[in-house]
Amino acid sequence: MKMPLLIDLTHKKVVIVGGGKVASRKAQTLSNYSQHIIVISPTINDAIQVLIKQHKVVWKRKQFEVGDVEHADFVVAATNQPEVNKQVQQAIPKHTLFNHASEAESGDVSFPSTFNRDRLSISVSTDGASPKLTKNIIEQLKVLYPSSYVPFIQFLYTSRQIIKRLNISHKQQQRLLMQITEIEYLDIAKQQQFLEWLKTFK
């Protein structure tokens, strides 16, 4: 069983082996989180070409070699050739995280389905058991947490920064932090009133 984690990939070296549809989906997703993505493949599709033009990935036009993943922090095997994917898996250094795009159970990292509401990130995974169920759950969660949560999440963040600096007891801080999670604060007017009220503290 895999443990859900949030990982900062900003400055980590990511290597994707493959240049087709699956590889491009992984590249698109990872380009939102990493600044150092290398695609290893003799050919690539149009979607990866776009990412290259946007300077989101670097393409190395070549067949996979063991040295390609020697210094990688995260590797994705996403070719349509099982023997190549197996070579990639066998070449992974001990410290490197690995995702096998077509066999989720073979790697130590899985890609969950994810959606965001500003700083709120919600992910769902069945670890390859049923992508359709995962998609259905995500759609239900999008209804439960609509776009109105975007200003609400930002309000919570701003309020927390202010509250943590107030010269009040820890218990009082926790009471305020709990108070602002109540549903009434989804209303922007209520948010503004609360922030104005915080300004009264010296």
Side-chain angles (χ1 to χ4, degrees):
M1 180 178 292
K2 297 182 176 70
M3 176 181 175
L5 289 174
L6 291 174
I7 301 176
D8 185 354
L9 293 175
T10 306
H11 302 294
K12 302 298 184 182
K13 181 180 178 180
V14 177
V15 175
I16 300 173
V17 183
K21 184 177 181 180
V22 175
S24 64
R25 286 204 305 265
K26 302 298 186 184
Q28 180 62 64
T29 297
L30 288 166
S31 68
N32 295 317
Y33 305 98
S34 175
Q35 300 175 358
H36 305 279
I37 302 175
I38 297 173
V39 172
I40 307 292
S41 180
T43 59
I44 55 175
N45 65 10
D46 292 341
I48 296 178
Q49 288 281 9
V50 171
L51 293 175
I52 293 170
K53 291 178 181 178
Q54 295 173 338
H55 305 289
K56 292 184 176 181
V57 305
V58 174
W59 176 33
K60 291 189 177 181
R61 186 185 301 185
K62 61 189 294 294
Q63 298 287 347
F64 171 74
E65 297 176 299
V66 172
D68 293 329
V69 297
E70 184 177 0
H71 301 293
D73 298 298
F74 181 28
V75 173
V76 177
T79 78
N80 59 1
Q81 300 173 286
E83 66 277 11
V84 174
N85 291 335
K86 185 175 181 179
Q87 290 173 10
V88 175
Q89 184 172 9
Q90 293 175 339
I92 299 298
K94 290 183 178 180
H95 74 278
T96 302
L97 296 173
F98 176 63
N99 170 258
H100 194 307
S102 59
E103 297 178 15
E105 67 280 2
S106 296
D108 47 23
V109 175
S110 297
F111 280 75
S113 293
T114 304
F115 80 96
N116 301 89
R117 297 294 187 232
D118 193 61
R119 291 175 177 270
L120 173 65
S121 297
I122 300 179
S123 301
V124 177
S125 172
T126 57
D127 202 12
S130 178
K132 291 188 180 298
L133 175 61
T134 299
K135 182 179 179 180
N136 289 342
I137 293 174
I138 284 288
E139 292 305 314
Q140 292 171 28
L141 288 169
K142 285 181 179 179
V143 174
L144 189 60
Y145 299 99
S147 57
S148 58
Y149 268 76
V150 173
F152 177 56
I153 296 300
Q154 186 57 49
F155 160 72
L156 291 176
Y157 175 77
T158 301
S159 297
R160 185 174 187 275
Q161 304 312 304
I162 297 172
I163 291 169
K164 300 298 279 186
R165 294 195 299 265
L166 294 180
N167 187 25
I168 58 178
S169 69
H170 178 72
K171 185 176 182 179
Q172 289 173 307
Q173 288 182 348
Q174 293 305 306
R175 187 182 297 117
L176 289 175
L177 291 172
M178 179 61 70
Q179 175 186 326
I180 59 178
T181 63
E182 295 176 1
I183 193 168
E184 65 178 295
Y185 287 99
L186 281 168
D187 182 86
I188 293 179
K190 286 282 187 180
Q191 297 172 15
Q192 293 172 341
Q193 289 173 11
F194 184 82
L195 289 172
E196 287 299 319
W197 178 74
L198 285 180
K199 293 179 181 178
T200 65
F201 283 82
K202 302 295 184 181

